[in-house]
Amino acid sequence: MELRTFVRHVFTLVALVNCCGSVDAEKLRLCLVENMHTAIRVHSLCPKLVALNSPIACVTDINRFSCLRRLTVGEADFTVLEPEDLVAAAAYSEYNVLVTNELRFFPNDKQHFQMVALVHKNVKHIWDVKGKRFCHPGFDVSNDWTKAFSIYFENWIIPRECDPDKTLLENRVHALSNNFEMACVAGSWSPDAIFDGQLKSQYRNLCAACDNPASCYIDDKYHGREGALLCLTDDVGDVAWVRLDDTLLHFKKEAVDKRNYNYLCSDGGTRPVVYDKPCVWISKPWPVIVASSHIAEKIAHTMSLMKNTTFGWEMSVLQLMENYHISPVSTENLETPEDYLGRFPGFMSGNNRASCRPSRRVQWCVASNLEERKCRWLREAAIVYGVEPPISCIQETSRASCLDALRSRRADIFVARPEELLQARKKGLKSVVYALSNKKQELNKIAAVVKHDSRFKSLRDLKGAKACFTGYRSIGWNAFVATMRHASAGKWGCQDAQAVAEFFKDSCVFGLSDKSELPANLYSLCKQAMGDDISAFDCLTSGLADVAFVNLKAIEKKTGNFDSDHDASENKGYKALCLDEPDAQKTGPCLLTWTPFGAVIAHENITSLRREEIYSMLLEMDYLFGATLPENMQTPAFSMYGTFDKVRDVIFPEETRHLQLHGRQMQQVRSYDQIVEDLLKQEACSAASRWISHFPGGMFSLCMAVLITSSQFLNC
């Protein structure tokens, strides 16, 4: 290349960089949620904004609340929120944002939908409703149908019950059952299938009006928006809680005689449907564009340029928002979230529900500032989506302090890591629910790993070998000790440190802080003080040790997948030892134990009612904010398991896919919970052994002391 051409290219490149840099600094940053539902659209349209020199640039995050946080810290300028998200934004002045536009489906519709109570003409007043037959769309939650809408009508006409011997959900169900002769409330009542069945069995009249009362499932003819209207117009029910737009469409499509029905009004009276003056109880706002207050006017002006656009960068921006509605309509004035929501009858009051006294609030312990911030956002998301009981966030100085807080009842729940579960059980804490994956291959699998050509063929063969552990009383250590105790029929020593030291010739147990009371051969191989699974595995690969007790998931990058058959795993250079030599039919690696990613723990002595209430609350959060979104919801309001502020594993491990009552994903392998329970049974043995060891001469001296004491007592 000639020098002149080279110089020209350099100057051109510098000019482009300077140009784009100055333009980028002035671009309006739109925060978008990127997930499995939106990724294709985001990845195809955001580059078009750059290519078309749009004044708008994309910023992506994993949920809508994260986008709201970006606005508050200046990392984005505007985003799209659901009305429920605005309720959270309205609660705190720190979220200094303004509503600039509504994203309507039809430009002339001032609200997304309105709810009405439709009744037969024989119902003249609100007090006539008691003892009638009720048609309800269901307790299910979707993108449009939140608990605020589900319970609004019943909360207005039925006093709230707060029986301390019932969960909050059962109090709601009991109140409905007492107020109506029968009803159809088909679909799921509780995320816990067992509790759901118990409630439906006990309060049968709330399924008696369904087409299939015995099942009362989501596929019932009278479930959902259309189902509640059919329930009424088929003369099965007397009262229906329905959307106004659905009502008008249903009456037209089914040629229903309007003269047979009235609108029930919140003032206690009724209006004939034929008058076309419905009594609206609560309205649902549209999704909205919100912007940082200092730039809201500019955002509003830019969005106004997009009216009737069918091409160019404007169309790309609207398509990026198409999971909402693509008719942006400017608000009359730039409004705060609270002022904007105040324009919709019933919406704010519906989202401000009274709580029972004494409070059922669940105090969630966290151990860092970051965890506390995530917990607060989870609390706000849970409140606006109707999760009960509500949570509060209690911050302690360390994870160990959280365990102590649960033991002393200063907090109710804490998300414990697998390595903390033994200590938690020793403090009288038990798991409520487990954090798990959808695939057993992704779980933590603990094994004794040796080289494929090792002379050691089983765990029993390891007597006199050299070993590496990730830590003293780590999961691998505990699993090995429990396995050998179980296999030795009581011959394995009570004191685990002494037993392991006698079994192995030499070892490296990482992380020993106090070596003075431990046998020297437990750390004779160590070249460094601290270590993890990779360090323990390197101890094996370097030839320093014969066996390493590690989490297979942590080392599979070096070894390949251990989950194939036994012979294939040997070909990768390493194998996992069984207690005894495996037979020819053995498939998959031999495991000492497996663990969940974590567990939500609580005090073991909480009542069964309190445990059920906490468990159902966690399942509901998992449904709303977990890895799998509810029906018709393309973007999550909040993510329990994703990164938070770009940091992984905040409160919950990032790999978590769902919460589950029983961690039974690997039936043929003992779970770490079982290992922990076995170790607890040995605590008395170990304590007695330590006590006896304080006597010079051991057991003989102790026996003599007992005999002498007994003799003196008898002489007395």
Side-chain angles (χ1 to χ4, degrees):
M1 180 184 296
E2 293 183 2
L3 179 61
R4 184 182 303 173
T5 305
F6 174 75
V7 172
R8 186 170 66 249
H9 284 175
V10 169
F11 273 105
T12 302
L13 181 61
V14 171
L16 283 171
V17 170
N18 288 338
C19 171
C20 292
S22 61
V23 171
D24 285 346
E26 297 172 0
K27 284 183 183 291
L28 300 173
R29 297 162 297 174
L30 167 62
C31 188
L32 300 163
V33 175
E34 182 182 344
N35 62 9
M36 61 181 295
H37 299 290
T38 65
I40 294 176
R41 186 164 64 246
V42 169
H43 291 167
S44 63
L45 294 175
C46 286
K48 285 186 179 181
L49 296 185
V50 177
L52 294 170
N53 198 25
S54 163
I56 294 175
C58 296
V59 174
T60 60
D61 217 310
I62 62 171
N63 58 62
R64 299 195 302 270
F65 274 32
S66 291
C67 278
L68 179 56
R69 285 203 308 279
R70 281 183 177 265
L71 264 63
T72 62
V73 299
E75 294 179 355
D77 298 311
F78 68 115
T79 191
V80 177
L81 298 180
E82 290 288 342
E84 287 75 20
D85 309 335
L86 280 187
V87 176
Y92 294 94
S93 58
E94 65 189 84
Y95 309 142
N96 193 12
V97 295
L98 297 173
V99 177
T100 65
N101 300 83
E102 296 173 312
L103 294 176
R104 298 182 182 180
F105 191 73
F106 298 109
N108 294 327
D109 289 351
K110 293 185 178 181
Q111 57 279 314
H112 192 173
F113 62 81
Q114 299 169 304
M115 294 299 298
V116 294
L118 202 62
V119 297
H120 271 295
K121 63 182 180 181
N122 62 322
V123 177
K124 302 297 184 183
H125 302 282
I126 201 166
W127 49 83
D128 294 337
V129 169
K130 185 172 176 61
K132 292 295 190 290
R133 298 165 297 169
F134 187 35
C135 303
H136 192 283
F139 293 168
D140 326 61
V141 174
S142 67
N143 199 37
D144 294 334
W145 186 252
T146 62
K147 190 174 285 187
F149 290 89
S150 175
I151 68 175
Y152 190 85
F153 176 66
E154 65 201 66
N155 277 0
W156 191 280
I157 65 170
I158 307 172
R160 176 160 188 166
E161 294 188 4
C162 289
D163 185 343
D165 294 326
K166 295 183 177 71
T167 66
L168 293 173
L169 174 59
E170 187 176 358
N171 271 302
R172 175 190 179 185
V173 171
H174 182 266
L176 275 172
S177 178
N178 279 354
N179 195 75
F180 295 103
E181 176 194 355
M182 65 173 64
C184 180
V185 189
S188 173
W189 294 1
S190 168
D192 177 6
I194 295 175
F195 189 48
D196 184 81
Q198 291 172 346
L199 288 175
K200 287 176 179 175
S201 177
Q202 185 171 352
Y203 301 97
R204 294 177 183 273
N205 68 319
L206 295 184
C207 291
C210 293
D211 189 51
N212 187 351
S215 63
C216 202
Y217 289 153
I218 195 170
D219 58 354
D220 195 272
K221 177 183 178 182
Y222 299 137
H223 171 264
R225 290 161 52 182
E226 180 69 15
L229 282 161
L230 284 171
C231 171
L232 180 70
T233 57
D234 283 355
D235 291 328
V236 175
D238 305 301
V239 185
W241 179 237
V242 290
R243 282 173 54 159
L244 177 60
D245 55 342
D246 291 341
T247 300
L248 300 177
L249 182 63
H250 177 78
F251 276 32
K252 182 178 180 180
K253 185 174 69 173
E254 303 294 330
V256 177
D257 188 349
K258 294 183 179 180
R259 293 173 297 180
N260 292 328
Y261 301 95
N262 294 333
Y263 291 117
L264 183 65
C265 304
S266 58
D267 63 4
T270 59
R271 288 182 199 164
V273 171
V274 293
Y275 288 1
D276 291 328
K277 292 184 178 179
C279 296
V280 175
W281 289 67
I282 181 173
S283 297
K284 170 89 168 186
W286 291 106
V288 295
I289 295 173
V290 298
S292 300
S293 57
H294 71 279
I295 205 167
E297 284 193 25
K298 188 174 182 179
I299 300 293
H301 174 71
T302 303
M303 295 305 299
S304 68
L305 300 176
M306 298 187 191
K307 289 183 179 179
N308 304 318
T309 299
T310 57
F311 61 91
W313 64 264
E314 296 92 343
M315 191 61 188
S316 295
V317 171
L318 293 178
Q319 287 176 333
L320 283 166
M321 299 176 178
E322 75 176 14
N323 55 302
Y324 296 95
H325 307 293
I326 56 174
S327 296
V329 176
S330 299
T331 55
E332 293 181 6
N333 300 295
L334 299 178
E335 295 177 294
T336 65
E338 188 172 17
D339 289 340
Y340 171 77
L341 295 175
R343 295 201 271 115
F344 297 87
F347 186 77
M348 286 298 283
S349 62
N351 280 282
N352 292 318
R353 292 174 289 279
S355 58
C356 286
R357 293 287 182 267
S359 174
R360 307 282 187 95
R361 188 177 300 274
V362 175
Q363 303 206 90
W364 194 318
C365 194
V366 292
S368 71
N369 292 335
L370 194 61
E371 286 189 350
E372 197 275 337
R373 287 204 300 273
K374 180 174 181 178
C375 183
R376 279 195 292 121
W377 280 94
L378 175 59
R379 179 190 66 197
E380 295 305 320
I383 287 172
V384 297
Y385 280 88
V387 178
E388 290 186 304
I391 65 170
S392 60
C393 307
I394 307 297
Q395 185 174 354
E396 292 287 335
T397 56
S398 67
R399 301 184 65 83
S401 296
C402 271
L403 297 181
D404 291 334
L406 264 64
R407 180 173 60 176
S408 62
R409 307 292 186 98
R410 288 182 288 113
D412 296 307
I413 60 173
F414 174 64
V415 182
R417 297 168 181 164
E419 61 269 22
E420 296 167 331
L421 293 178
L422 176 59
Q423 192 61 29
R425 284 297 290 120
K426 289 180 179 180
K427 292 179 182 287
L429 313 176
K430 291 189 76 171
S431 300
V432 176
V433 68
Y434 297 91
L436 295 168
S437 168
N438 294 329
K439 300 177 182 178
K440 67 179 184 180
Q441 292 88 347
E442 296 177 359
L443 296 170
N444 298 316
K445 296 160 292 185
I446 312 303
V449 177
V450 298
K451 293 180 179 179
H452 77 93
D453 57 356
S454 171
R455 62 186 175 88
F456 302 105
K457 306 302 181 186
S458 70
L459 289 177
R460 297 185 196 272
D461 290 346
L462 290 173
K463 175 72 173 175
K466 294 181 287 185
C468 280
F469 292 90
T470 57
Y472 179 50
R473 293 181 176 167
S474 62
I475 297 173
W477 172 288
N478 291 336
F480 173 68
V481 168
T483 299
M484 298 307 290
R485 274 183 182 157
H486 190 264
S488 66
K491 296 178 182 178
W492 188 268
C494 275
Q495 295 192 49
D496 56 349
Q498 191 64 41
V500 172
E502 290 175 1
F503 188 81
F504 291 113
K505 178 183 178 182
D506 289 293
S507 299
C508 175
V509 180
F510 289 114
L512 293 177
S513 55
D514 184 6
K515 301 177 182 178
S516 60
E517 297 185 2
L518 294 173
N521 70 330
L522 289 183
Y523 48 88
S524 57
L525 295 180
C526 290
K527 304 298 183 184
Q528 61 192 65
M530 304 303 293
D532 54 15
D533 288 290
I534 298 298
S535 306
F537 184 66
D538 288 343
C539 185
L540 168 66
T541 59
S542 67
L544 195 63
D546 301 306
V547 62
F549 294 86
V550 293
N551 181 357
L552 295 185
K553 190 173 74 170
I555 66 169
E556 281 180 347
K557 287 184 179 179
K558 294 192 174 187
T559 64
N561 187 4
F562 271 82
D563 281 313
S564 54
D565 62 67
H566 185 76
D567 292 333
S569 66
E570 285 190 0
N571 293 335
K572 294 163 185 165
Y574 303 93
K575 62 183 179 182
L577 293 182
C578 303
L579 178 62
D580 298 297
E581 288 192 52
D583 56 36
Q585 280 71 44
K586 170 66 182 175
T587 59
C590 292
L591 303 179
L592 295 174
T593 188
W594 68 272
T595 79
F597 299 131
V600 181
I601 58 175
H603 199 284
E604 63 181 350
N605 290 334
I606 61 174
T607 65
S608 58
L609 185 147
R610 181 64 166 168
R611 182 173 290 273
E612 171 60 42
E613 200 158 60
I614 292 173
Y615 171 59
S616 294
M617 175 202 77
L618 291 166
L619 287 192
E620 195 169 358
M621 288 180 176
D622 180 66
Y623 171 73
L624 289 168
F625 314 124
T628 303
L629 297 179
E631 185 181 0
N632 299 324
M633 189 180 289
Q634 286 206 346
T635 60
F638 185 80
S639 303
M640 285 176 69
Y641 312 134
T643 58
F644 182 79
D645 283 353
K646 303 175 184 178
V647 179
R648 300 181 58 189
D649 303 328
V650 181
I651 300 182
F652 283 98
E654 188 180 19
E655 304 98 321
T656 304
R657 290 294 173 267
H658 68 279
L659 301 180
Q660 187 172 309
L661 180 60
H662 299 293
R664 295 175 179 170
Q665 292 195 332
M666 303 184 74
Q667 298 284 0
Q668 297 179 347
V669 181
R670 298 177 77 209
S671 72
Y672 190 56
D673 261 8
Q674 293 171 304
I675 298 289
V676 166
E677 294 303 323
D678 279 357
L679 292 172
L680 286 176
K681 292 173 184 176
Q682 295 295 326
E683 283 293 300
C685 162
S686 298
S689 178
R690 286 193 297 270
W691 185 59
I692 291 169
S693 68
H694 289 302
F695 285 84
M699 181 62 75
F700 176 77
S701 296
L702 177 60
C703 290
M704 291 300 296
V706 171
L707 287 171
I708 291 169
T709 303
S710 301
S711 174
Q712 290 174 344
F713 176 76
L714 291 171
N715 290 336
C716 176

